[in-house]
Amino acid sequence: MNKMMRAAAAALLACAVALPAAATASAASGPAVPSDLAGLSRTVTVAPDRGDERLRMPAPTGAYGVGSSVLHLVDRSRTDPWVPTADGRELMVTLHYPAARPGRPARYATEDEARLLLEAVKVDDPALEREVARARTYSAVDVRPAPGRHPLVVLSPGFGMARYTLTSLAEDLASRGYVVASLDHAYETSGTSFPGGRTLTCVACTVMSDSGWSKGSLVTGTRADDARFVLDRLTGARPAWKYASSIDASRIGMAGHSVGGASAVPAMAADRRIDAGVNMDGTFWDTLPADGLGGRPFLLLGADEYHRPSGEDTTWNTTWKGLSGDKYWLTVDRADHLGFTDAPVLLRHLGLPYGDLAAERAVAVTRAYVAAFFDEHLRGREQPLLDGPDSAHPEVVFHRP
């Protein structure tokens, strides 16, 4: 078992402690420690005093303003794998998109979501709960999209992590001209608010703890089905989003962090609509089809410590060999597992460790390379950044094993 898998197993044991047997009967009872926040819960019990400093995400770098809409989608053709008695498979989806005008800023998270996140890392501070929920974002609620049709990117977060932890990447892609659908997969997060005053927590953490992650492909396969369902609801004949006509359904990508990134492989294998995929620091749980995703491009972007070719996660070596299209294997020096999400910004504010790469730098590197990959492979715009080492990004190492 490699180091990342050992960390996941330890975190899942923490899930079992945080979500005892008595709590598992109710999807909304008791917080669960997200597996991708492993090790943080033992660091502090009270966050440091930051005075009047306001928590804010890094500003987007593209030319467009950004809009934001939230959808609640239910696939009643499927049984939820974690809570079979649920009324179908539920998803919460945030759409970030190029906006035509400014408007009321979207909130970062609900207060319930923020409270459960802080409980997961053992930070007890009601003022911080409000601060996280109201962190400065750069998207306006339900404003009209910018003219034209834009490529679509689906984002899936790490196991136990909520979709809002990918806000910085989503907003940046939207500011560059993409529609971005960030997914919360029911019962797989520290806490996700659903309509009707419900907050669903990580029942899946207990299931995966009990199985020792022998059911890893159940997570990725379920998320692949979730992504395909969202594509149906956004690009089908009767779309769920009122601005769906702004989506160019002929140009679709999928990216994710950790298990969310690994889920891009089964999603692409099952759905030819997805033209390009990105895995940010996730262990693969699925075998590539014989055609290697049919020649479609794929980006591996990970922490150098774990995901260099000689690193402990050998699933990258196996997957790399099977990919048949344009492929990129990049690692980021001094980044940790959470460094491809909003976590460095959040954790710095909470006084928790987040890796050796500065928070703003971690966000900037992730944004630059994910955007370059999709610009080249969804828009056909050649990106020299993908050709090899770049002096403006000295942390990034290219591998061609």
Side-chain angles (χ1 to χ4, degrees), residues 69 110 202 214 299 333 347 356 360:
S69 298
T110 70
C202 198
S214 64
L299 168 65
D333 187 33
L347 296 175
D356 296 327
E360 288 82 1

Side-chain angles (χ1 to χ4, degrees), residues 195-206:
R198 298 172 299 141
T199 301
L200 307 186
T201 56
C202 198
V203 175
C205 288
T206 300

Side-chain angles (χ1 to χ4, degrees), residues 34 48 60 73 94 111 156 178 202 240 268 277-278 286 292 297 323 348 350 384 394:
L73 302 179
T94 295
E111 291 198 13
S156 180
Y178 292 88
C202 198
M268 293 177 71
V278 178
D286 301 271
L323 291 168
R348 179 186 59 187
L350 298 175

Side-chain angles (χ1 to χ4, degrees), residues 31-93:
V33 177
S35 63
D36 281 321
L37 295 181
L40 298 178
S41 60
R42 65 176 181 269
T43 307
V44 297
T45 55
V46 178
D49 181 11
R50 279 159 302 279
D52 295 329
E53 179 187 348
R54 183 183 178 185
L55 176 59
R56 62 183 66 233
M57 296 298 110
T61 62
Y64 289 99
V66 180
S68 175
S69 298
V70 176
L71 301 178
H72 172 227
L73 302 179
V74 185
D75 184 358
R76 291 189 171 86
S77 72
R78 290 189 289 150
T79 299
D80 190 283
W82 317 119
V83 180
T85 57
D87 183 19
R89 177 64 172 167
E90 287 189 90
L91 302 167
M92 293 301 296
V93 181

Side-chain angles (χ1 to χ4, degrees), residues 214-229:
S214 64
K215 297 182 178 181
S217 60
L218 173 61
V219 181
T220 55
T222 299
R223 291 194 176 200
D225 289 341
D226 291 344
R228 298 179 68 198
F229 172 67

